[in-house]
Amino acid sequence: MQNDKIVVGLDIGTTKVCALVGRRNEFGKLEILGMGKAASEGVVRGIVSNIDKTVEAIKKAIRQAEEQSGINIGVVNVGIAGQHIKSLQHNGSITRQVSDDEITVEDVNRLTNDMYRLVTPPGSEIIHVMPQEYKVDYEEGIVDPVGMSGVRLEGNFHIITAQSNAINNINKCVLRAGLEVDQLILEPLASSMSVLSDEEKEAGVALVDIGGGTTDLAIFKDNIIRHTAVLPFGGNIITSDIKQGCMVMQNQAEQLKVKFGRAIADEASENEIVSIPGLRDRTPKEISLKNLAYIIEARMEEIVELVYAEIVRSGYANSLAGGIVITGGGAQLQNLVQLVEYITGMDTRIGYPNEHLGRSKIDAVKGPMFATSVGLVLAGYHPLDQRVERQSPVEEQVYNKVAEPKSTANNNSGGGLLQKLKGFLSDDID
């Protein structure tokens, strides 16, 4: 049953590696059973740059999540981001044998699977195929063709590709940490599942996820994903600017940004000064919060302008009645909403993953910086595109073996859940 299924989301970010263990309660809300978090030192701008450090961070986060939830974790949903992410539109079609027969789920799946066979640039591969709309015998604008009659079935698809090396490195890190990858999901798509409402997706909305190393963009219209992009700038570049501009250490710059940073310099007081410890045998350094805000505002303006340029390039800038939703760790910066509204002229709000969360002892997951992690867990219950929610019996069995209580797993003579799951998967492959 869906309510008995436990799903684990693993967000391998530039600043943190986060593991969330979740289960859907009787009201359909997500109950977070455990959370693990570790500093990420092996990831740069969303791309794994050091395998060993990333593996250690994954192990630490998983260990904390296991201890808090009492669950042995074997399979995870993993997020992927980075500047290498590309998206494109493509049309495909199939010809059926008999026009009188109804179009079936198998016909739609065959058309979708054909898209995965597209030739991509060397070194890249397809990670998502998202249907936009269908045509049946040249009749356009069909959302779901199942049950209709026709010979020719066509579809327009939004296809997302990623660098093969980046995918392989993520898979390698997860496997070395003793885990299996169930789904590899583009991070802005995961974030959209946790912070956007169906009404916003219908009206048209741009989701902007400001992470440590990247800023991710996903545009929705008519409940369909229309455009995706990953920009190689995030919160870490602001920290670096503060470090250089204020002549402080990296960790001090991060604390200044988090505790005192503002996205609009005019909102900062002229007279506010913060004193931070100096280096050995040196006097404390005094930082003007006004100057700090000027540094942050200059960089945030650049990031927001790049995001807006990408929205304009998508062709949907004038069709987004839902405006912009900001999430991710960078969304916590004071006055950011006002800055985005000023630059883009679009209504803006902060996206919190509260709507899908039930009661939980872990209040931290309700913050925007955990939007991707919550979305990765939700992806275990809701597919990225509801029109392809057709899970096979084998997939259901795999999910039932994803996690089980530690007490049960440890009493099994088979050597624990991971060994059982690996054996199960290999039997399926054979």
Side-chain angles (χ1 to χ4, degrees):
M1 293 175 59
Q2 286 279 63
N3 285 354
D4 296 332
K5 185 170 69 176
I6 293 175
V7 180
V8 182
L10 180 63
D11 178 13
I12 306 174
T14 304
T15 57
K16 72 180 186 308
V17 173
C18 179
L20 282 187
V21 183
R23 176 179 58 198
R24 198 159 64 173
N25 62 23
E26 63 271 23
F27 304 108
K29 298 293 186 179
L30 190 64
E31 179 184 351
I32 302 299
L33 305 176
M35 180 181 76
K37 192 169 65 169
S40 179
E41 299 178 350
V43 180
V44 177
R45 293 183 177 176
I47 300 175
V48 175
S49 60
N50 187 303
I51 298 290
D52 292 336
K53 287 183 178 180
T54 305
V55 170
E56 286 305 311
I58 293 173
K59 286 181 177 179
K60 183 178 179 182
I62 291 293
R63 187 163 56 246
Q64 290 178 8
E66 286 182 333
E67 291 171 357
Q68 196 169 56
S69 64
I71 298 293
N72 269 9
I73 297 172
V75 180
V76 293
N77 288 343
V78 185
I80 184 171
Q83 192 181 8
H84 59 92
I85 300 294
K86 307 293 181 186
S87 65
L88 58 99
Q89 302 289 328
H90 190 81
N91 290 298
S93 65
I94 60 171
T95 302
R96 304 174 63 248
Q97 297 299 320
V98 184
S99 62
D100 294 337
D101 289 348
E102 293 183 352
I103 294 174
T104 64
V105 170
E106 287 72 21
D107 292 326
V108 176
N109 287 342
R110 180 157 66 95
L111 176 59
T112 302
N113 291 336
D114 281 347
M115 295 300 103
Y116 283 97
R117 300 188 181 96
L118 286 178
V119 177
T120 58
S124 67
E125 56 187 90
I126 296 171
I127 57 173
H128 293 302
V129 172
M130 313 291 290
Q132 304 282 283
E133 62 179 10
Y134 296 95
K135 295 180 185 178
V136 177
D137 289 347
Y138 306 103
E139 183 179 343
E140 299 183 356
I142 297 170
V143 175
D144 191 347
V146 174
M148 298 182 67
S149 297
V151 175
R152 184 177 176 83
L153 174 63
E154 297 180 66
N156 183 31
F157 295 89
H158 181 74
I159 296 172
I160 301 171
T161 66
Q163 214 173 61
S164 299
N165 287 340
I167 296 173
N168 293 337
N169 286 335
I170 289 175
N171 288 332
K172 189 181 297 184
C173 290
V174 174
L175 289 173
R176 285 193 185 179
L179 305 167
E180 298 277 353
V181 177
D182 178 52
Q183 297 184 69
L184 186 67
I185 300 170
L186 184 65
E187 290 186 0
L189 296 185
S191 300
S192 71
M193 297 185 73
S194 64
V195 302
L196 296 183
S197 66
D198 290 339
E199 290 80 8
E200 285 176 320
K201 292 180 182 179
E202 180 73 29
V205 66
L207 175 72
V208 180
D209 188 338
I210 306 175
T214 62
T215 296
D216 307 333
L217 173 67
I219 295 176
F220 292 82
K221 178 69 176 173
D222 298 328
N223 253 326
I224 298 169
I225 180 82
R226 300 294 186 179
H227 185 76
T228 51
V230 178
L231 306 174
F233 302 102
N236 284 0
I237 197 170
I238 299 174
T239 304
S240 297
D241 289 347
I242 296 171
K243 176 186 174 182
Q244 294 181 14
C246 297
M247 299 291 287
V248 295
M249 302 294 291
Q250 181 81 11
N251 62 331
Q252 294 172 334
E254 180 67 22
Q255 290 179 30
L256 284 170
K257 180 185 73 175
V258 172
K259 294 181 180 179
F260 306 105
R262 290 180 179 272
I264 299 178
D266 289 343
E267 297 292 328
S269 171
E270 293 274 3
N271 303 321
E272 283 187 293
I273 303 291
V274 61
S275 179
I276 60 174
L279 295 177
R280 185 175 180 179
D281 297 331
R282 290 172 175 83
T283 58
K285 182 182 287 290
E286 292 186 342
I287 305 295
S288 165
L289 295 190
K290 190 78 168 179
N291 291 339
L292 176 68
Y294 276 123
I295 294 171
I296 295 173
E297 182 182 15
R299 182 61 75 176
M300 278 309 309
E301 277 186 352
E302 182 183 359
I303 292 174
V304 175
E305 285 170 357
L306 286 171
V307 168
Y308 186 58
E310 191 66 33
I311 293 173
V312 171
R313 193 174 73 85
S314 73
Y316 287 93
N318 298 320
S319 306
L320 304 180
I324 295 174
V325 176
I326 313 170
T327 191
Q332 300 172 109
L333 192 63
Q334 294 182 63
N335 306 123
L336 181 58
V337 169
Q338 295 95 309
L339 180 68
V340 174
E341 287 182 338
Y342 174 75
I343 293 175
T344 66
M346 303 170 72
D347 290 337
T348 305
R349 73 171 179 88
I350 303 295
Y352 296 90
N354 295 342
E355 181 182 346
H356 302 283
L357 292 176
R359 286 188 176 183
S360 173
K361 297 178 181 177
I362 310 170
D363 291 332
V365 298
K366 296 179 180 178
M369 69 184 301
F370 294 102
T372 299
S373 304
V374 173
L376 291 171
V377 178
L378 286 170
Y381 300 97
H382 307 286
L384 297 174
D385 193 298
Q386 296 292 338
R387 292 167 295 178
V388 293
E389 187 175 14
R390 289 129 182 161
Q391 194 177 53
S392 68
V394 171
E395 288 174 314
E396 286 287 352
Q397 294 176 52
V398 170
Y399 267 127
N400 290 335
K401 289 180 174 284
V402 165
E404 59 185 44
K406 275 195 168 186
S407 57
T408 304
N410 292 337
N411 290 335
N412 289 330
S413 60
L417 171 70
L418 181 60
Q419 286 74 16
K420 291 200 309 174
L421 181 59
K422 286 182 176 178
F424 176 83
L425 291 172
S426 62
D427 289 343
D428 282 343
I429 295 170
D430 293 338

